[in-house]
Amino acid sequence: MMLRALLKKQLTELCAPLIIDRRKGTARTKGKLIAFSVLYVLLFLYLAAVFFGMSIALCEPLVELGAGWLYFAVVGLLALALGVLGSVFNTYAGLYNAKDNELLLSMPIPPWKILFARIAATGLLGLLYTALVLVPAIVARVMTGGFSAAGIVFSVLLILVMACLVTVLTCLLGWIVALIAARLKNKSYLTVLIALVFLGAYFYLYSQAYRIVGSIMENVGVIGDAVRTWIWPLYQFGLGAEGDAVGFLLFTLVTLALLALTCWILSRTFVRIVTSHRAEKRAVYKERAARTRGVRTALIGREFSRFTSSAAYMLNSGLGSVFLLVLAVLALWKREAVGEGIALIVEQIPELAGVMPLFGTVAVCLVASMNMITAPSVSLEGKTLWQLQSLPVDTRDVLRAKQALHILVTGVPAVLCAAAVAFMLGTDLATGCLMALCVFLFVCACAAFGLMLNLKMPNLTWMNETVPIKQSMPVGICLFAGWVVAPLMVGGYFLGISLWSVTFYLTVLCGAEAVVVVLLDLWLDRRGTKIFADL
Amino acid sequence: MLQIRNLTKTYGDTKAVDDLSLHIAPGEIFGFIGHNGAGKTTTLKSVAGILRFDAGEILVDGTSVADDPLNAKKKLAYIPDNPDLYDFMSGIRYLNFISDVFGISSEERLARIREYGDAFGLTENLAQPISSYSHGMKQKLALISAWIHAPKLILLDEPFVGLDPIASHVLKEKMRVHCDGGGAIFFSTHVLEVAEKLCDKIAIIKQGRLVRCGTMEEVRGDASLEHVFLELEGEKETGGGAAS
């Protein structure tokens, strides 16, 4: 009874984003609920179609070679990777950072039941990801032909077993993250680092997908032997999915044993981790003279502290900076390869010969537009807003500090990236400088635009900071604004292609951006400061 | 030190503060009493420059809050009833931020952090993140941040809520010392016993209007402050309360 109530609560939590409008705190209307459901179904169908395409390409040749088990081993590994990637952060947050942990622990509920309910919710998420890969894979296998009835039954059942294995791995990873986080002072940096590692791995695998598939085709024997030797459970999974009862039973038994062991390990440390507080490892105050700063520097410092204190803020609003730096390194590293690619394009379309600096500039602007640090910055003041309003600081200085943080975090890597792209393209110095200036002004405009939107649409009553950071209108608008502006920036050139050179057009673009920045700044000076003071 | 003249503040059709006038002289601890929603916090926030008011004038040491808010704010400190501080900072970082805003020299801030940190028993916790502080610790940190820039006027909204008995005692002492040094304190409270013992002057507000104001003796006469307050609120049948 108790466990059922806990499971029901977990399920309600999982479905809450679909059912409840967080902004209003009310249930979604029937129409919205249907619209959201259709949207989710379409998204899943799209992803399933992508995995089906991959599966069918892999299935036919491998089955023809008599290596059907290897096909399932590969898609099983893919399902495992996707499941772990998709749910590892939710696992850490869901198991150890849930707000109701202390409330539930204060009730007469055995802790293992709380843990079990949370692990079950993780398993459900894992099942979703696993099914997303394995259902299309099974359909592809059935369509290829020669698939036994036992194979169909076992492979469908193995979706559940694979979800259990995903749960085992995510729970163990979540547990390790919790153990490390309990000993760390700056959890946000660790979270960002781990997220970047996973993101890097994801992009690497994505970029290598076709090479990996090709490699499997060419080296079926060698890879098959390697899987048999080194990834024994996946070998059994492959055999089981192809209809081998022994393989099915072995994989199931090993997975269930691992699940039991994981639950045992986690239950032994659950209460200790959940109830541990950082106060146990106290930072010691040492009296020393502080460096005095001016008001503006202090305000920028405050914004910087706010930004770096939240992994969600850094990841959602500052990830563009990482991409900009990666793009800059790639532009320098792969200079020759990209040059050859551009030469090929120009050979096909000679008109594009001189336009590359513009394309490069717009590409950098597009990546820079991924950063939206100012868009949630006013809302993030939340209940602490009274401080800025009661302190003797100029409201415009407060807003400038928010803009300055965006420009520092985005502008510096964006200008570096623009310089790297200019170097890669071999532009002359004047064009290179114009590219950098154009990108910098674009970043300034983005900073002011995001701030203006947030002043017009603030949300100071949030309970969870991810609401203004992820689910607010200003952030949503900023997210798409770049994709609207970028084609306009390119289109403008082609409108008057006979009238101007790229260098001249970049100059015009810089002028236009400067006007936008000045207009937005004027708005912030006059209207923005009043709105902020009246919040 | 503080002049409030004919202050009026409305929210929609509701008058939160209605033609309120008060004068607080240097050296005075001035208590502000009223039921929930009487207009105490609105008045304090208006003085602190957080809320714009519809009519009237507020002067902090001769500087108009409406006309010259920055200079007025430089002379005061405000602590709300539930101080939400920057959770993303440590205690010491927060105090340094406040000191930077008020332009306090390195030596002065160090000396004041030592004095008030030790007095409120918070020095050892200053390196901890504010997010790990209890309600009382946040209240103490907010109080230290108010005193760190030696303001002329201190505005406190329910300052004793959440404080332990020792910290409450220290706060009362610091309030007295501040006013003896020529400063002034304007604070709201529901704890009538504290107001009775601590305040030089007191004002009682009801539905946004001042109903009684004066020295403790003038306000309560021979009765207790609780008796006078209940009488003014209409909770006691013994005689009608008249506004001063």
Side-chain angles (χ1 to χ4, degrees):
Chain A
M1 195 73 176
M2 191 185 281
L3 197 58
R4 215 170 71 178
L6 286 170
L7 288 169
K8 204 172 160 187
K9 182 198 75 75
Q10 287 300 132
L11 206 63
T12 314
E13 261 181 45
L14 268 181
C15 299
L18 187 70
I19 300 164
I20 297 166
D21 185 337
R22 288 286 167 92
R23 193 167 60 87
K24 295 175 186 165
T26 53
R28 290 194 198 279
T29 58
K30 208 175 256 182
K32 276 187 180 172
L33 194 62
I34 291 169
F36 268 96
S37 305
V38 169
L39 203 69
Y40 274 107
V41 169
L42 285 176
L43 182 71
F44 280 110
L45 282 178
Y46 167 74
L47 291 171
V50 170
F51 287 119
F52 178 75
M54 261 172 92
S55 301
I56 203 94
L58 197 64
C59 186
E60 280 175 1
L62 284 176
V63 169
E64 271 176 31
L65 287 168
W69 69 268
L70 185 57
Y71 163 69
F72 273 113
V74 171
V75 291
L77 188 64
L78 186 66
L80 191 66
L82 186 78
V84 172
L85 275 174
S87 41
V88 65
F89 285 105
N90 286 326
T91 308
Y92 168 59
L95 287 183
Y96 299 107
N97 267 357
K99 279 188 175 174
D100 59 349
N101 267 339
E102 289 189 2
L103 175 73
L104 292 177
L105 283 173
S106 72
M107 292 179 180
I109 306 171
W112 73 265
K113 286 191 178 177
I114 303 170
L115 183 70
F116 183 83
R118 298 212 190 284
I119 290 178
T122 308
L124 209 61
L125 207 64
L127 179 65
L128 201 72
Y129 284 112
T130 313
L132 203 60
V133 178
L134 289 184
V135 170
I138 293 168
V139 172
R141 179 66 188 89
V142 172
M143 284 171 70
T144 308
F147 199 34
S148 64
I152 295 174
V153 174
F154 287 163
S155 58
V156 169
L157 287 174
L158 280 173
I159 297 176
L160 293 172
V161 186
M162 184 54 90
C164 289
L165 190 59
V166 167
T167 310
V168 167
L169 288 180
T170 50
C171 284
L172 286 175
L173 279 172
W175 177 64
I176 291 167
V177 171
L179 285 178
I180 297 170
R183 285 162 177 76
L184 272 185
K185 202 176 163 191
N186 295 314
K187 286 181 188 177
S188 55
Y189 288 115
L190 174 78
T191 313
V192 169
L193 189 72
I194 294 173
L196 288 179
V197 168
F198 275 99
L199 206 67
Y202 169 77
F203 275 110
Y204 179 74
L205 285 175
Y206 187 77
S207 67
Q208 301 293 314
Y210 283 99
R211 201 184 61 77
I212 292 169
V213 170
S215 177
I216 291 170
M217 301 300 186
E218 287 165 15
N219 308 292
V220 172
V222 179
I223 290 173
D225 285 344
V227 171
R228 255 192 292 259
T229 315
W230 298 105
I231 329 174
W232 181 82
L234 271 183
Y235 173 53
Q236 297 304 329
F237 173 83
L239 287 179
E242 270 291 285
D244 182 79
V246 178
F248 170 76
L249 282 174
L250 277 175
F251 181 76
T252 305
L253 285 174
V254 168
T255 304
L256 291 179
L258 284 172
L259 185 64
L261 185 69
T262 306
C263 288
W264 181 76
I265 292 172
L266 262 63
S267 66
R268 284 180 65 86
T269 50
F270 178 66
V271 176
R272 186 169 55 78
I273 293 176
V274 165
T275 54
S276 74
H277 291 288
R278 275 198 312 219
E280 287 169 11
K281 299 176 297 305
R282 299 166 64 86
V284 181
Y285 170 66
K286 286 175 190 158
E287 191 181 89
R288 58 171 170 247
R291 189 165 48 91
T292 54
R293 299 181 294 182
V295 176
R296 287 180 181 180
T297 320
L299 287 171
I300 294 172
R302 189 193 73 100
E303 292 294 334
F304 189 75
S305 298
R306 180 70 185 90
F307 181 65
T308 54
S309 71
S310 162
Y313 195 10
M314 282 195 277
L315 281 170
N316 284 280
S317 305
L319 200 59
S321 297
V322 177
F323 285 124
L324 283 167
L325 291 173
V326 170
L327 193 65
V329 171
L330 281 177
L332 297 175
W333 189 24
K334 299 277 182 183
R335 189 184 169 205
E336 285 179 9
V338 177
E340 285 167 15
I342 291 172
L344 273 174
I345 296 170
V346 171
E347 210 176 288
Q348 301 289 321
I349 317 166
E351 293 80 18
L352 295 181
V355 197
M356 287 305 159
L358 175 63
F359 283 161
T361 306
V362 174
V364 177
C365 288
L366 203 57
V367 179
S369 75
M370 284 175 69
N371 276 10
M372 40 213 162
I373 295 169
T374 49
S377 64
V378 175
S379 297
L380 282 172
E381 296 294 342
K383 290 177 180 172
T384 64
L385 187 68
W386 67 271
Q387 296 188 82
L388 288 177
Q389 288 178 331
S390 65
L391 288 173
V393 289
D394 192 331
T395 309
R396 189 64 187 98
D397 284 342
V398 173
L399 300 182
R400 275 200 193 100
K402 293 181 186 300
Q403 289 172 272
L405 179 73
H406 182 102
I407 292 166
L408 280 172
V409 173
T410 317
V412 174
V415 168
L416 283 175
C417 188
V421 170
F423 179 70
M424 180 190 79
L425 294 171
T427 63
D428 57 73
L429 187 64
T431 310
C433 288
L434 273 174
M435 285 171 71
L437 181 65
C438 189
V439 165
F440 181 74
L441 288 169
F442 180 83
V443 170
C444 293
C446 285
F449 180 65
L451 189 55
M452 183 188 81
L453 286 178
N454 202 194
L455 283 164
K456 296 285 268 183
M457 292 173 272
N459 170 13
L460 299 165
T461 54
W462 44 268
M463 294 297 284
N464 184 336
E465 68 173 11
T466 55
V467 173
I469 291 171
K470 282 184 175 179
Q471 301 154 10
S472 65
M473 193 60 91
V475 167
I477 295 173
C478 280
L479 195 66
F480 292 106
W483 294 95
V484 174
V485 174
L488 292 177
M489 289 168 83
V490 175
Y493 172 76
F494 287 101
L495 277 179
I497 194 163
S498 57
L499 299 174
W500 42 42
S501 66
V502 161
T503 311
F504 181 76
Y505 180 69
L506 281 174
T507 314
V508 172
L509 212 53
C510 287
E513 284 175 342
V515 170
V516 171
V517 171
V518 169
L519 287 175
L520 286 170
D521 259 34
L522 278 173
W523 186 91
L524 289 171
D525 276 342
R526 292 172 186 176
R527 289 278 305 135
T529 46
K530 278 184 190 157
I531 293 174
F532 189 83
D534 288 339
L535 284 174
Chain B
M1 184 65 72
L2 174 65
Q3 287 265 355
I4 301 176
R5 292 181 195 142
N6 311 106
L7 177 71
T8 300
K9 169 72 188 173
T10 54
Y11 294 111
D13 296 333
T14 312
K15 273 191 177 175
V17 181
D18 188 3
D19 200 31
L20 180 80
S21 294
L22 287 175
H23 174 235
I24 300 173
E28 280 181 356
I29 299 179
F30 199 105
F32 202 30
I33 294 169
H35 58 84
N36 292 329
K40 303 186 296 294
T41 299
T42 301
T43 306
L44 285 167
K45 280 187 172 178
S46 300
V47 176
I50 295 174
L51 285 180
R52 286 177 199 232
F53 40 91
D54 305 310
E57 189 178 32
I58 299 173
L59 300 174
V60 177
D61 194 30
T63 307
S64 166
V65 171
D67 299 337
D68 191 1
L70 281 193
N71 277 322
K73 286 176 188 180
K74 279 179 186 166
K75 297 174 182 177
L76 63 85
Y78 165 70
I79 306 294
D81 53 347
N82 188 15
D84 284 297
L85 307 176
Y86 298 131
D87 277 353
F88 52 87
M89 290 184 181
S90 65
I92 186 66
R93 200 162 181 185
Y94 177 73
L95 293 177
N96 276 319
F97 169 70
I98 298 292
S99 303
D100 284 334
V101 167
F102 282 93
I104 308 299
S105 73
S106 185
E107 296 76 30
E108 271 181 303
R109 72 175 73 171
L110 205 60
R112 286 178 194 157
I113 288 170
R114 193 184 303 135
E115 180 188 348
Y116 296 107
D118 288 350
F120 284 108
L122 198 69
T123 309
E124 279 187 8
N125 297 296
L126 285 178
Q128 302 292 326
I130 295 175
S131 56
S132 69
Y133 281 18
S134 67
H135 176 83
M137 287 161 81
K138 284 182 185 171
Q139 186 83 355
K140 288 176 188 177
L141 185 67
L143 289 167
I144 298 170
S145 75
W147 258 267
I148 202 167
H149 56 91
K152 290 186 173 177
L153 173 68
I154 299 178
L155 309 167
L156 304 167
D157 197 352
E158 293 289 347
F160 297 100
V161 174
L163 287 183
D164 57 60
I166 298 172
S168 289
H169 176 73
V170 172
L171 176 59
K172 287 175 210 165
E173 270 185 6
K174 295 294 175 193
M175 286 167 80
R176 189 73 268 163
V177 170
H178 178 78
C179 292
D180 289 347
I185 286 175
F186 183 31
F187 80 105
S188 75
T189 184
H190 284 132
V191 191
L192 300 180
E193 292 80 4
V194 170
E196 211 161 1
K197 286 177 187 162
L198 196 62
C199 297
D200 301 307
K201 277 188 178 172
I202 207 155
I204 299 175
I205 185 173
K206 185 180 179 183
Q207 288 166 351
R209 293 187 75 88
L210 189 69
V211 288
R212 196 160 286 191
C213 181
T215 62
M216 193 57 71
E217 290 71 30
E218 285 168 351
V219 170
R220 71 176 179 193
D222 293 331
S224 71
L225 189 58
E226 186 181 31
H227 182 91
V228 175
F229 182 72
L230 291 175
E231 189 182 292
L232 289 170
E233 289 296 324
E235 298 288 326
K236 286 209 170 181
E237 298 297 321
T238 52
S244 64

